Amino acid sequence: MLHCWRLMLSRCTNLPRPLVPFLATAKPNSNPHIQPAVSRLLHSAFASSSFSSAWPLPPATQPSLAPRKRTARIGRRSANPPGTSAGTVRHMQPAIKKQRVEEEGGGTEPKTSQHPKQQQQQQRTKSKKAPTPEVEARSAIHAATKNNDLAAALAVYDRCQADGVKLSAELYVSLLYLCSGGEGWEAQLGRGAAALQQPDSAAAATTAAPAAADGNAVAAQATGGSEAAVAAQEQASEAAAAGASPSSLKQQGQQQQQQQQQPLDPAEVRQRAQQFFEELKKFGGARAPKEMSYTALARMAAAGGDADGAFALVQEMLAAGITPKLRSFTPALVAYAEAGNCDKAFEVDAAITAQHLDLGEPEFCRLLQAAAAGTSWQRAQGVLQRIGSELTVLQPATLDLVRALFASPAAAAADADSTSPASAAGSRWEVAPTTLSAEGVCATCGGKLAALDLSAEELVAFSQGIASIAERMEKRPNDFQQFKGWLQRHGPFGAVVDGANVALYGQNFASGGFSFAQLDTLFQHLDSKHPDLKPLLLLNIGRTRALQARTPAAQALMKRLTDNHSFYVAPHGSNDDWYWIYAAVMAGEQGLLVSNDEMRDHIFQLLAPKYFLKWKQRHQLRYHFGPEGLSLKYPAPYTTCTQQLACGSWVFPGSDGSWLCARRVPSGETDR
């Protein structure tokens, strides 16, 4: 080391210029035996006339022999000095440093270095631009939409018009959404101006910007207003990404609202909404009014008692080539039901059916309400049968409407339509709570519930719907198509096993894991108890390559099932849930799905409820591994849904596990 320094300093007149600052500031070595000798060499070198004449240095940069604080790196390494190798320089040069100085008043002071995070924060602050008026308006209207605050949104709009700020099409959709009352629009029925005076807290909890609701969302009908909530989150994220902060427009709108504190006239709100709709039409093309805009106007018409106007808007939407959703028809249905116009309500129902849309429980409630206002028991009975076909358990509000229906004039006319002996003259309907036995026998009327399953046509429609969704959601749709072909060649399978669910059952302890032994036990049980049911095991490919799958027992099980064409492995990137539910549905009326999965994940929310919920009751085979071994729980001998029994009575299951029975009793009999 010392020899290298002597060699370099002896040729100091030939040193490259970039190496001079290094020699002036470098710390030769921390070794106390070498450092004094090198320091003496540096003294003599810098004091020599040959060095100072060849490389004159400013006074401020004269070298100091004291160790310097490391402050900053300079750029690339310089060329090797003559007479030295690259390896010697790298060994000699642990870090190339220089001290930054600034001249101020004839003296020099070192600059204070900042933390890198502080420098980045300052750079972001400098590069951040002030939000434009358009961004401020969007942020303010989105905030008002989130809070369901119509007054604040209108104040922002008026301010934009006064300042000449142009609004985008999505903001007009948000304004229309607010004018209609949001997802809580039904709360405005019969409330008049008071409904628009203050934001409704219940509605505010479920409101959202509807601009994105015009797009095609998967299972929009099943999720109801959730697509609007997703749209609100996306819009809030966009506003934040655009650099929108609490803006002057928003603050001015809030101040103007606080100053006014006056109820909003419903007629004025409807007028403003029509103005927004006309402005939206001017955009044209892809930004022209879509389904959500028409639905907003229909909601306002229904809230104002104009059921015909709400229905006419749906017809106008259809004439414009816009595909309606279930929510597009709901305002007219609600308005007719509230008005007691049974005929028009069922006319809307027919229009919904013509669009191949499925009613949910809220829509069936409105049909019950409309049927109770009519005089036709046949029409009312048709609604009850449809409820039994498409729904399972009912909410308490629906059960209240059932009680009202059986007390209505339509129910009193049941004698003319019914063929039951219990409908003799002088009888009436009695509705009371009841209980069921394990076999499904009603304790009140003595009738027995049936085990209702999907028809052959419904099973085909259900399987096609599953395949369509699976192919759309899989990363490689061809993988699922290959499974469909394999299933046609080797199926159907009477017992489809959700392998991951069975193997992980009860394994949440320290030494637990994926248990192929439990799978083996289950298949042995199925072979002994149900030899007529061909089983199928479905696993993801990752499970077959894990450590647990390398044991001899696991390898033997998979080989035996593979040889019998009873084992299928879902490839990488595939969700095996689609595979086993599709195989179980394709098994037909006798097929069973062996799984304890409650099937409440988001993927099952995409399936049609009128098929999925009833199929699940009839085809899910549950299991339990206990101290005594494996036990299976078969489906109940009856289906939990609304049914008309052989004796003429009706039974209705509640969502809380209760049951309601409506039966015919003589007029003089006392209610239970």
Side-chain angles (χ1 to χ4, degrees):
M1 176 67 182
L2 188 59
H3 173 72
C4 294
W5 281 90
R6 286 198 184 99
L7 180 63
M8 291 174 58
L9 295 176
S10 64
R11 304 182 180 182
C12 60
T13 56
N14 297 323
L15 288 177
R17 180 176 293 275
L19 193 58
V20 176
F22 164 71
L23 294 176
T25 59
K27 297 166 63 177
N29 199 301
S30 59
N31 192 320
H33 299 287
I34 298 178
Q35 186 172 2
V38 175
S39 300
R40 288 193 296 272
L41 288 173
L42 288 174
H43 268 294
S44 60
F46 288 122
S48 65
S49 59
S50 60
F51 185 92
S52 58
S53 61
W55 304 103
L57 296 176
T61 58
Q62 289 296 333
S64 173
L65 298 181
R68 291 180 178 269
K69 183 179 179 180
R70 296 181 181 181
T71 56
R73 295 178 182 269
I74 44 180
R76 301 176 179 270
R77 287 190 180 135
S78 59
N80 300 334
T84 60
S85 64
T88 305
V89 174
R90 283 196 299 269
H91 179 72
M92 181 181 62
Q93 184 179 345
I96 303 177
K97 303 288 184 178
K98 76 173 181 178
Q99 186 175 5
R100 296 183 302 169
V101 296
E102 62 179 359
E103 296 184 1
E104 185 174 329
T108 59
E109 293 181 359
K111 288 187 177 180
T112 304
S113 60
Q114 291 183 339
H115 194 275
K117 290 185 177 180
Q118 295 178 350
Q119 295 177 355
Q120 294 176 3
Q121 188 174 9
Q122 289 181 358
Q123 291 176 358
R124 286 196 299 266
T125 304
K126 293 179 181 178
S127 61
K128 186 176 180 180
K129 298 180 181 179
T132 63
E134 290 78 7
V135 172
E136 290 184 344
R138 184 177 64 176
S139 176
I141 292 179
H142 286 173
T145 305
K146 182 178 180 180
N147 297 324
N148 199 31
D149 194 345
L150 175 60
L154 292 179
V156 174
Y157 172 79
D158 293 338
R159 182 67 179 176
C160 289
Q161 293 299 306
D163 295 344
V165 178
K166 294 183 178 181
L167 301 181
S168 61
E170 65 163 340
L171 295 183
Y172 281 104
V173 177
S174 297
L175 290 170
L176 277 171
Y177 179 83
L178 278 175
C179 290
S180 69
E183 295 302 318
W185 69 273
E186 290 188 44
Q188 297 182 8
L189 293 171
R191 290 170 59 184
L196 300 172
Q197 182 174 359
Q198 294 293 339
D200 185 30
S201 58
T206 58
T207 53
D214 287 327
N216 294 325
V218 180
Q221 299 170 16
T223 57
S226 63
E227 60 180 351
V230 174
Q233 295 178 358
E234 293 177 351
Q235 291 171 349
S237 300
E238 291 174 0
S245 57
S247 61
S248 58
L249 284 174
K250 179 180 177 181
Q251 295 173 354
Q252 292 172 2
Q254 292 175 349
Q255 293 174 0
Q256 184 173 350
Q257 179 193 9
Q258 293 174 358
Q259 292 174 1
Q260 292 178 356
Q261 289 295 328
Q262 295 179 357
L264 297 176
D265 183 14
E268 179 185 353
V269 173
R270 286 193 291 271
Q271 182 180 0
R272 298 289 290 271
Q274 189 63 41
Q275 176 188 354
F276 298 149
F277 189 79
E278 296 300 328
E279 291 290 335
L280 197 56
K281 282 184 176 180
K282 296 179 182 178
F283 284 93
R287 294 180 294 176
K290 295 184 176 61
E291 179 270 335
M292 184 65 237
S293 302
Y294 283 96
T295 300
L297 289 182
R299 288 174 175 176
M300 297 193 66
D306 186 8
D308 292 335
F311 197 23
L313 282 166
V314 182
Q315 305 300 330
E316 181 181 345
M317 186 191 314
L318 290 170
I322 300 174
T323 303
K325 296 182 180 179
L326 179 61
R327 65 185 182 187
S328 308
F329 293 94
T330 301
L333 178 61
V334 170
Y336 284 130
E338 288 287 333
N341 194 332
C342 180
D343 294 336
K344 295 295 290 186
F346 279 89
E347 184 179 341
V348 176
D349 176 47
I352 295 174
T353 304
Q355 295 297 319
H356 305 286
L357 298 173
D358 296 330
L359 269 65
E361 188 171 354
E363 290 73 33
F364 278 118
C365 285
R366 293 301 181 176
L367 288 180
L368 288 174
Q369 183 182 3
T375 57
S376 172
W377 173 249
Q378 185 177 4
R379 180 178 283 172
Q381 188 172 244
V383 176
L384 295 178
Q385 291 172 347
R386 290 170 60 188
I387 289 176
S389 176
E390 300 188 20
L391 302 180
T392 51
V393 296
L394 305 178
Q395 299 298 321
T398 309
L399 295 178
D400 291 340
L401 289 172
V402 167
R403 293 187 180 92
L405 176 64
F406 281 97
S408 67
D415 291 338
D417 298 331
S418 178
T419 59
S420 173
S423 62
S427 63
R428 60 182 178 82
W429 285 104
E430 177 194 71
V431 182
T434 188
T435 57
L436 296 182
S437 66
E439 294 76 21
V441 177
C442 177
T444 300
C445 66
K448 184 177 181 180
L449 276 74
L452 303 177
D453 202 352
L454 301 181
S455 65
E457 294 78 10
E458 290 174 332
L459 282 172
V460 171
F462 188 30
S463 62
Q464 291 176 349
I466 295 173
S468 176
I469 298 175
E471 292 173 3
R472 187 168 65 247
M473 298 190 67
E474 287 286 283
K475 293 182 178 179
R476 297 184 297 271
N478 188 52
D479 291 342
F480 193 81
Q481 294 173 0
Q482 290 179 359
F483 172 68
K484 290 168 60 178
W486 182 90
L487 199 61
Q488 290 178 354
R489 294 191 301 271
H490 303 291
F493 297 91
V496 180
V497 180
D498 179 4
N501 185 270
V502 175
L504 293 173
Y505 179 83
Q507 297 296 314
N508 54 342
F509 53 91
S511 60
F514 197 88
S515 175
F516 279 90
Q518 292 183 173
L519 287 173
D520 195 9
T521 301
L522 174 65
F523 275 86
Q524 292 180 12
H525 184 89
L526 292 175
D527 291 340
S528 61
K529 298 294 183 181
H530 302 283
D532 56 325
L533 294 179
K534 184 179 180 180
L536 171 64
L537 173 63
L538 276 158
L539 288 176
N540 192 277
I541 190 172
R543 298 295 186 183
T544 64
R545 297 180 178 179
L547 183 63
Q548 298 89 341
R550 301 175 186 176
T551 62
Q555 292 290 321
L557 173 64
M558 290 189 289
K559 184 179 185 306
R560 183 175 78 248
L561 295 177
T562 302
D563 294 341
N564 295 331
H565 302 291
S566 297
F567 183 33
Y568 194 88
V569 179
H572 280 299
S574 295
N575 190 336
D576 58 329
D577 291 359
W578 293 119
Y579 289 74
W580 51 252
I581 192 172
Y582 178 78
V585 173
M586 289 297 293
E589 297 180 359
Q590 303 301 321
L592 292 173
L593 171 63
V594 185
S595 177
N596 286 346
D597 195 335
E598 294 296 337
M599 290 178 269
R600 295 173 181 169
D601 295 343
H602 67 282
I603 65 169
F604 300 109
Q605 303 293 332
L606 306 177
L607 303 177
K610 68 176 184 179
Y611 296 145
F612 173 64
L613 297 178
K614 190 169 293 183
W615 177 88
K616 178 183 172 183
Q617 283 193 57
R618 303 306 319 146
H619 296 274
Q620 186 172 10
L621 177 61
R622 300 179 181 273
Y623 61 88
H624 173 67
F625 289 98
E628 299 179 357
L630 173 65
S631 61
L632 300 178
K633 182 180 179 181
Y634 294 87
Y638 61 91
T639 302
T640 302
C641 65
T642 298
Q643 294 189 33
Q644 184 178 22
L645 308 182
C647 62
S649 301
W650 287 86
V651 288
F652 304 91
S655 58
D656 57 354
S658 62
W659 286 84
L660 204 64
C661 176
R663 63 174 186 142
R664 300 287 295 185
V665 297
S667 300
E669 185 174 328
T670 306
D671 293 345
R672 297 188 181 185

